[in-house]
Amino acid sequence: MIIIVLTRGIATEQRALVAQTVKELFSGSRISCGESFISVENISNSSQSYLSRIEALQGVAKVEVPVYEACAHSIKGDNRQETSVRAGNLRIGRDTFTVIAGPCAIEKEDQYLELAQALKEAGAHMLRGAMFKPRTSPYSFQGIGLQGLEVIAQAKKRTQLPVVTEVTDVRYLDKVAQVADMIQVGTRNMRNYELLKELGRSRIPVMIKRGPLASLEEWLLSAEYVLNGGNDQVVLCERGDCAFGRANPALNFNIVLSALETTHLPVIVDPSHGTGIRSHVMPMSKAAAAVGAHGIMVEVHDNPETALVDGKQSLSVSEFGNLMQEIKTITA
Ligand code: PEP
Ligand code: MN
């Protein structure tokens, strides 16, 4: 139900005019008119576009749209099962705790393949590896680009693990989707609506990271772009609020819990970008498991001190091995 709040002391004729417009625009919905509000029940997704016209009417103070109306595809319904996302032969979602691990960026082929093998042996369920790095500075390492596709293909072949990688621009989507098992939409691109629409047309699993200071509703609306296109394979990933490079980010477990309560989509946590500090990755990973998240994505590097990107928050392989042991004590 949406509530149209009328201005205080609205004249009777003005109220009647607002009511008439509401009835015309939402003819298929149940409408109740009170002194100070008009409620509209059962509005369709397509008629949501009329809400801005209602907001603009004289005599309307505001229009309240609860998250369950705004995000019809992503909220939990009475009979809706929790969605499981299938990346390769891995299932992410209800009753699972998926650990995705890998370097921030793919640097060199041999190095990535060796690391991938070590991560598999340590118990990772999925690999991460970016070939496109959206960086605040154009002078920072930007990733190895499409050359990374072959590296990802090799890593999959050798480890039999699925791989998630970021796509920053619709131009690369088709090529990357042929090799990767899940496409990451990074925090900066959560609001790249053309990219999200294109992902909605595809059938590849998508992981959407929460954008800086985005509310739960904004995050779910980004997912709606993909779901509304007919692709129901969406994972949400919390990565903390940040002012890139200016301060450490703040991982938001409130929003993780709210997301777990509100949506049928799997929700995971990125304790690496979410803290920016290596020593905080283990406790925050355990916290993610403890609050019931469906997994974590962790940055691991064979030699964090020489990493081209995000070495300060990357774990070594042996630290990752310890993390897997600790996580097991919570998720078992
Ligand atoms: C990443 O996971 O590689 C990344 C760049 O993260 P974010 O978009 O959250 O900054
Ligand atoms: Mn990174």
Side-chain angles (χ1 to χ4, degrees):
M1 175 168 39
I2 64 155
I3 307 278
I4 299 159
V5 182
L6 303 172
T7 51
R8 213 167 161 187
I10 182 173
T12 315
E13 310 80 65
Q14 192 65 50
R15 186 188 304 117
L17 278 174
V18 175
Q20 193 188 333
T21 311
V22 171
K23 283 176 191 160
E24 276 167 23
L25 293 177
F26 299 99
S27 54
S29 305
R30 224 174 89 182
I31 297 165
S32 316
C33 301
E35 280 284 298
S36 56
F37 72 92
I38 300 173
S39 67
V40 188
E41 279 177 80
N42 304 329
I43 70 163
S44 62
N45 284 339
S46 54
S47 57
Q48 286 203 30
S49 62
Y50 299 136
L51 293 175
S52 63
R53 279 181 61 188
I54 302 292
E55 248 167 5
L57 293 175
Q58 287 257 354
V60 171
K62 65 174 172 175
V63 177
E64 285 184 356
V65 186
V67 69
Y68 59 82
E69 289 287 0
C71 306
H73 289 303
S74 49
I75 56 140
K76 279 191 178 145
D78 291 341
N79 301 314
R80 198 164 190 330
Q81 279 216 330
E82 305 227 335
T83 292
S84 284
V85 169
R86 294 199 173 270
N89 49 19
L90 181 70
R91 185 176 76 77
I92 306 171
R94 181 173 37 89
D95 301 332
T96 65
F97 192 83
T98 299
V99 179
I100 306 172
C104 182
I106 299 172
E107 297 171 13
K108 296 200 185 78
E109 176 161 355
D110 288 354
Q111 174 197 24
Y112 185 75
L113 296 179
E114 245 176 66
L115 177 63
Q117 191 56 39
L119 293 172
K120 182 186 170 126
E121 280 159 24
H125 307 116
M126 186 165 184
L127 299 172
R128 60 159 285 143
M131 28 191 197
F132 300 110
K133 290 308 309 169
R135 307 300 301 281
T136 304
S137 166
Y139 310 117
S140 303
F141 177 59
Q142 303 285 311
I144 63 171
L146 286 173
Q147 283 176 32
L149 279 181
E150 185 47 37
V151 183
I152 289 177
Q154 280 297 328
K156 284 178 58 167
K157 201 162 142 199
R158 291 212 196 162
T159 62
Q160 297 296 306
L161 293 179
V163 177
V164 56
T165 194
E166 175 159 3
V167 167
T168 47
D169 190 294
V170 283
R171 284 175 295 164
Y172 307 124
L173 188 54
D174 285 348
K175 280 205 172 97
V176 177
Q178 281 169 25
V179 178
D181 299 281
M182 184 155 78
I183 301 289
Q184 172 170 325
V185 175
T187 189
R188 294 162 179 82
N189 270 315
M190 188 202 91
R191 297 179 173 98
N192 181 342
Y193 302 117
E194 291 309 316
L195 176 61
L196 294 169
K197 279 190 225 169
E198 224 28 66
L199 287 162
R201 282 183 209 115
S202 80
R203 290 295 171 267
I204 187 156
V206 180
M207 182 179 75
I208 304 178
K209 298 187 104 179
R210 187 169 67 85
L213 298 176
S215 65
L216 174 64
E217 185 170 327
E218 283 177 284
W219 197 15
L220 295 183
L221 283 170
S222 292
E224 291 283 320
Y225 270 94
V226 182
L227 301 170
N228 195 39
N231 183 358
D232 74 342
Q233 295 290 283
V234 178
V235 176
L236 298 172
C237 178
E238 161 59 13
R239 60 82 75 216
D241 288 310
C242 58
F244 295 108
R246 274 180 276 152
N248 287 324
L251 210 44
N252 186 337
F253 278 105
N254 255 341
I255 212 157
V256 171
L257 286 167
S258 299
L260 288 166
E261 280 163 14
T262 310
T263 175
H264 55 81
L265 302 171
V267 182
I268 70 166
V269 173
D270 174 348
S272 305
H273 295 93
T275 63
I277 302 171
R278 186 178 306 137
S279 61
H280 292 190
V281 172
M282 166 84 93
M284 288 301 203
S285 299
K286 288 161 80 176
V291 300
H294 299 109
I296 48 173
M297 181 167 77
V298 185
E299 285 185 338
V300 188
H301 196 276
D302 49 290
N303 183 359
E305 286 180 48
T306 63
L308 295 181
V309 200
D310 286 348
K312 72 180 179 30
Q313 68 201 29
S314 299
L315 302 182
S316 65
V317 174
S318 78
E319 285 167 330
F320 176 69
N322 292 341
L323 180 130
M324 287 304 291
Q325 295 312 316
E326 292 278 328
I327 290 289
K328 270 191 208 140
T329 63
I330 300 172
T331 56

